[in-house]
């Protein structure tokens, strides 16, 4: 026996209570009737301990039309009294305190769980078959409703119409109000929205407000000015390091290329270049240069000057040696 329920054999069909809120458009159940005639009822219907139908109206009606008097049922325990009363309700105008929107959403969620259990049992029985206590096959199958259809069935049972989206939104707001991982202010805001919904406020605006509150609470706070300054400083240092590394990489590549395959320009090119550079130092303002040059610019200038002086000294020695020869 399961802690959720148990199989009961040979329950009288006429003893099962079907409330008015169950869907009445059963569709074509002839294929289901043929399946039951051939291999029996594959999956028992679900009832409350008091015999109120929860799931399986099509299976119940197919068995009744086949002239059967009894059938196996799954007796589901743990169903709330409010839901049992709603399922058993025979008169829609019965005098009772009407359910609030939040209460209705809770019962809708309960019905969805029961419908999901029933669907999973049918799916397992269809896939593997099911052997009853009498040793015979409980065969026969009924098409399994998609998730959206299950929600629609549950909403129709509870409200008499397909209000699944509205009820799902109310239950989501309730989940936010009960979520201990969220901040107190967000939970209290969600609880206040539920109170307003119970007082006939529209659900859609409340849902959007709570959703916005949750998204805002989950977003990181904007950085302070000190944090922004620190990020900017670190970014500038990182950029400088990257530029220095790139410059060093280019220099190494240039030196490596020069060592591997030196390609000298002609003496005429040398003469022309220095003819063009003659007097170039008078073209610039020292103060303006000092203020404008970056560290990497100055490092490049000093490197070129050092290379030029080195070339001058080597060239002077070579010319002196050539004159002495």
């Amino acid at each position: 026996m399961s802690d959720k329920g148990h199989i009961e054999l040979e329950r009288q069909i006429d003893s099962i209570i079907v409330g008015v809120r169950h869907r009445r458009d059963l569709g074509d159940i002839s294929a289901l009737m043929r399946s039951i005639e051939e291999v029996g009822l594959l999956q028992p219907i679900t009832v409350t301990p008091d015999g109120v139908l929860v799931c399986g109206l099509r299976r119940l009606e197919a068995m009744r039309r086949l002239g059967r008097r009894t059938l196996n049922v799954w007796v589901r325990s743990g169903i709330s009294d409010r839901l049992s009363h709603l399922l058993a309700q025979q008169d829609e105008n019965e005098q009772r305190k009407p359910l609030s929107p939040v209460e209705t959403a809770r019962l809708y969620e309960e019905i969805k769980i029961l419908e999901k259990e029933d669907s999973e049992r049918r799916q397992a029985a269809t896939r593997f078959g099911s052997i009853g206590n009498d040793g015979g096959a409980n065969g026969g199958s009924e098409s399994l409703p998609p998730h959206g259809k299950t929600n629609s069935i549950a909403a129709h049972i509870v409200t008499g119409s397909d209000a699944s989206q509205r009820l799902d939104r109310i239950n989501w707001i309730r989940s936010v109000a009960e979520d201990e991982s969220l901040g107190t202010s967000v939970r209290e805001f969600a609880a206040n929205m539920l109170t307003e919904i119970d007082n006939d406020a529209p659900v859609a605006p409340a849902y959007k407000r709570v959703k916005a509150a949750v998204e805002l609470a989950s977003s990181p706070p904007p950085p302070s000015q000190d944090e922004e300054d620190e990020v900017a400083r670190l970014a500038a240092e990182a950029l400088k390091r990257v530029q220095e590394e790139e410059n060093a990489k280019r220099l190494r590549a240039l030196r490596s290329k020069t060592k591997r395959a030196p390609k000298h320009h002609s003496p005429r090119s040398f003469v022309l270049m220095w003819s063009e550079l003659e007097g170039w130092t008078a073209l610039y303002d020292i103060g303006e240069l000092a203020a404008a040059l970056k560290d990497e610019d100055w490092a490049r200038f000093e490197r070129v000057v050092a290379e030029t002086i080195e070339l001058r000294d080597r060239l002077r020695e070579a010319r002196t040696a050539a004159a002495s020869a």
Side-chain angles (χ1 to χ4, degrees):
M1 179 180 294
S2 167
D3 58 351
K4 288 186 177 181
H6 62 277
I7 289 288
E8 181 179 314
L9 305 177
E10 303 299 318
R11 170 68 73 106
Q12 291 288 326
I13 289 178
D14 290 342
S15 70
I16 297 173
I17 303 170
V18 181
V20 295
R21 289 180 180 268
H22 279 81
R23 59 177 180 170
R24 294 303 176 183
D25 181 13
L26 301 179
D28 183 6
I29 63 173
S30 57
L32 177 60
M33 292 170 63
R34 286 195 300 271
S35 176
I36 293 174
E37 279 188 311
E38 292 173 2
V39 292
L41 182 63
L42 179 68
Q43 175 57 42
I45 66 173
T46 301
V47 300
T48 71
D50 294 332
V52 178
L53 178 69
V54 179
C55 307
L57 181 59
R58 281 169 49 84
R59 281 164 279 165
L60 177 64
E61 182 61 23
M63 292 287 285
R64 181 180 284 116
R65 293 185 188 182
L66 288 170
R68 307 295 174 84
R69 295 182 179 275
T70 62
L71 78 168
N72 297 349
V73 298
W74 173 259
V75 182
R76 176 59 157 84
S77 58
I79 297 175
S80 65
D81 293 339
R82 200 68 182 266
L83 180 58
S84 295
H85 175 81
L86 184 70
L87 292 170
Q89 189 178 330
Q90 294 296 316
D91 182 5
E92 286 195 270
N93 296 318
E94 179 183 352
Q95 293 298 320
R96 63 180 179 85
K97 180 182 178 182
L99 295 171
S100 73
V102 175
E103 289 174 329
T104 301
R106 285 181 181 273
L107 296 185
Y108 162 75
E109 192 68 22
E110 193 174 346
I111 281 287
K112 280 206 304 181
I113 293 172
L114 296 173
E115 285 283 350
K116 183 173 182 289
E117 291 175 358
D118 183 74
S119 178
E120 289 173 349
R121 285 196 298 271
R122 278 185 285 152
Q123 190 173 40
T126 302
R127 184 177 301 164
F128 303 113
S130 177
I131 304 300
N133 291 348
D134 58 357
N138 288 334
S141 66
E142 180 181 3
S143 60
L144 305 180
H147 174 72
K149 187 67 174 178
T150 299
N151 289 1
S152 177
I153 292 172
H156 190 90
I157 290 174
V158 177
T159 67
S161 63
D162 186 3
S164 56
Q165 184 185 60
R166 180 174 183 272
L167 297 173
D168 281 330
R169 286 180 171 181
I170 294 175
N171 281 326
W172 181 81
I173 295 173
R174 180 167 58 85
S175 71
V176 172
E178 297 172 356
D179 190 347
E180 295 294 334
S181 66
L182 296 173
T184 303
S185 60
V186 176
R187 298 201 308 272
E188 289 180 351
F189 180 69
N192 290 336
M193 289 296 99
L194 291 176
T195 301
E196 291 189 12
I197 290 172
D198 270 347
N199 291 328
D200 297 327
V203 174
Y207 170 77
K208 292 178 180 179
R209 290 169 190 159
V210 175
K211 188 175 181 181
V214 171
E215 291 175 352
L216 182 62
S218 61
S219 301
S224 64
Q225 186 60 50
D226 289 343
E227 290 172 332
E228 289 183 348
D229 292 344
E230 179 66 10
V231 169
R233 184 185 66 79
L234 293 174
E237 290 181 356
L239 178 61
K240 182 179 179 180
R241 286 196 299 271
V242 169
Q243 291 173 337
E244 290 175 349
E245 291 172 1
E246 288 296 323
N247 290 336
K249 188 184 298 183
R250 284 196 294 269
L251 180 60
R252 287 195 298 270
L254 179 62
R255 288 175 176 172
S256 175
K257 182 178 179 181
T258 302
K259 291 178 181 178
R260 286 199 309 269
K263 185 177 180 181
H264 298 151
H265 290 194
S266 66
R268 177 173 174 75
S269 173
F270 177 86
V271 172
L272 289 174
M273 182 186 71
W274 282 101
S275 296
E276 292 176 359
L277 285 176
E278 187 172 6
W280 72 272
T281 56
L283 300 176
Y284 299 96
D285 181 271
I286 297 300
E288 183 179 359
L289 279 179
L293 291 180
K294 298 179 181 178
D295 291 344
E296 56 267 27
D297 299 329
W298 177 253
R300 186 183 302 110
F301 172 71
E302 286 197 319
R303 185 168 61 250
V304 173
V305 169
E307 291 172 354
T308 303
I309 293 173
E310 181 185 1
L311 176 62
R312 182 203 63 183
D313 293 344
R314 289 170 54 201
L315 183 56
R316 178 185 291 159
E317 291 176 1
R319 292 182 75 247
T320 301
S324 301

